[in-house]
Amino acid sequence: MNITRRTLLAATAALALTAHIQPATAEDVTLNIGYQPIVEPSRVPQADGTYEKVTGAKINWQKFDGGADVIAAIASGSLDIGYVGSSPLAAAASRELPVETIFVVGLISEAEALAVKSVAKPEELAGKKIATPFVSTAHYSLLTALKHWKVDPKSVEILNLRPPEIAAAWERGDIDGAYVWDPVLAQLKKSGTVLATSADVADWGGPTFDAWIVSKTFAEEHPDVVTAFVKVTGDATAAYRANPDAWNAGSPEAEKIARLTGAKQEEVPALLKGYIFPTLEEQAGEALLGGGTAKAVSDTSAFLLEQGKIPAALSDYSPYISARWVTDAAKLAY
């Protein structure tokens, strides 16, 4: 399929979906969305304005460098929908923040990793300065890796830095390593080596993922808008999964993703391969929103409690995970 035809089909589908779900007009609903500059398929409809067209809402897009900041913004009421990792989600749910997980964007594989300088093996991490954004999936993965390697976290100087700060500290030589995500990770790998990826950590019992969450108040007041948001997100994933090779370095998709994330356009195809992106249909299955996601959040919370990162863990995390939105979105007719 050539680009022109694909674009025409996408536009036609968006118009059809808009007519079908009859969303509120832009004058009726303002949707505040907090995103992170992470290389993944939904950056494309974000750049295209497809979310605005399909939801019918006026959208205020706000960029954040970490999930903890997104959670804080949702808690303050300044965001309605936010992009977070599984660790910030677990921390938020453990504090009983009224949010709901509506879409698992991607299972993190090689898109997050521990990059180091002058460290050949895990035992040499003792006494080193390792940066990571606290209460992030990267932070959780770093602690899980240290536990797996039987390296005392107290023997490592773990610094709380956001991705842009990590990039700057790395260039200055202020840190010995960092557990972080792309596109900053890609910069670190040019002059450093990878000691472990989140694919490794998943094999060691600490799987992580990124997700979109919604304020329960907004979801109750504007369910059609949330369903339409999930549908657009799912379609973006489906488009990539159907033909990942078409999202090559010279493609409009790569250009749009690079523009919104700061990644180099030629690196986008490789960075996309650092995640496993579940389709809309796969989302509702028992492995994800139908049960597996709640278990993953529960396991993450137990680990965070053990590490003293949260005051308490809940007995049941299912109220913070919902398959309703992906199920409803999958029913929307074109």
Side-chain angles (χ1 to χ4, degrees):
M1 181 184 293
N2 61 44
I3 294 172
T4 301
R5 185 182 172 203
R6 185 166 64 242
T7 303
L8 178 60
L9 287 174
T12 302
L15 289 173
L17 176 58
T18 303
H20 178 78
I21 64 175
Q22 296 180 335
T25 64
E27 290 77 20
D28 293 329
V29 181
T30 296
L31 174 58
N32 298 297
I33 301 178
Y35 77 99
Q36 295 186 53
I38 291 173
V39 174
E40 52 94 358
S42 71
R43 296 286 83 81
V44 174
Q46 180 184 348
D48 282 344
T50 305
Y51 281 109
E52 286 82 352
K53 295 173 186 175
V54 177
T55 64
K58 175 185 177 182
I59 300 180
N60 294 324
W61 294 94
Q62 302 176 44
K63 186 173 78 170
F64 291 81
D65 290 318
D69 293 334
V70 173
I71 292 296
I74 290 180
S76 72
S78 62
L79 285 183
D80 304 307
I81 290 177
Y83 188 106
V84 299
S86 47
S87 185
L89 170 59
S94 296
R95 291 178 169 84
E96 300 183 272
L97 185 69
V99 296
E100 204 165 76
T101 305
I102 58 176
F103 194 92
V104 175
V105 178
L107 308 178
I108 303 172
S109 180
E110 296 180 358
E112 292 187 7
L114 173 59
V116 294
K117 294 177 179 178
S118 303
V119 176
K121 50 188 179 180
E123 304 91 272
E124 296 175 3
L125 288 169
K128 302 295 185 181
K129 293 181 179 180
I130 306 297
T132 193
F134 280 12
V135 201
S136 66
T137 49
H139 188 198
Y140 168 74
S141 294
L142 172 60
L143 295 175
T144 303
L146 292 176
K147 183 177 181 180
H148 172 77
W149 290 325
K150 295 181 172 57
V151 175
D152 185 353
K154 294 179 181 178
S155 71
V156 182
E157 188 175 351
I158 302 177
L159 306 175
N160 181 19
L161 297 179
R162 294 180 174 87
E165 298 168 336
I166 287 175
W170 178 276
E171 291 302 318
R172 291 194 303 266
D174 292 345
I175 56 177
D176 301 296
Y179 208 121
V180 69
W181 48 85
D182 287 318
V184 170
L185 173 62
Q187 298 177 37
L188 273 54
K189 286 160 68 174
K190 292 175 182 177
S191 57
T193 58
V194 171
L195 206 57
T197 71
S198 289
D200 298 321
V201 176
D203 290 340
W204 300 334
T208 52
F209 60 88
D210 285 345
W212 285 107
I213 63 174
V214 66
S215 157
K216 288 188 176 183
T217 299
F218 184 88
E220 290 169 1
E221 294 176 351
H222 306 290
D224 285 351
V225 172
V226 177
T227 301
F229 175 88
V230 170
K231 178 63 174 176
V232 172
T233 307
D235 286 350
T237 297
Y240 174 71
R241 284 277 300 270
N243 193 2
D245 290 341
W247 295 44
N248 55 58
S251 68
E253 290 88 353
E255 185 279 324
K256 291 165 187 173
I257 291 173
R259 186 180 353 131
L260 287 179
T261 63
K264 292 184 178 180
Q265 187 170 333
E266 62 269 22
E267 294 177 342
V268 167
L271 297 182
L272 284 167
K273 293 178 181 177
Y275 284 87
I276 299 170
F277 299 111
T279 64
L280 193 62
E281 291 71 25
E282 292 168 343
Q283 297 276 331
E286 289 189 9
L288 294 173
L289 297 175
T293 302
K295 182 181 184 304
V297 172
S298 179
D299 291 346
T300 301
S301 298
F303 184 83
L304 293 176
L305 178 63
E306 178 186 316
Q307 296 294 320
K309 303 303 179 183
I310 57 174
L314 306 179
S315 59
D316 181 14
Y317 283 86
S318 59
Y320 300 90
I321 316 291
S322 177
R324 166 195 172 181
W325 307 103
V326 294
T327 301
D328 289 351
K331 295 175 182 176
L332 292 176
Y334 279 77

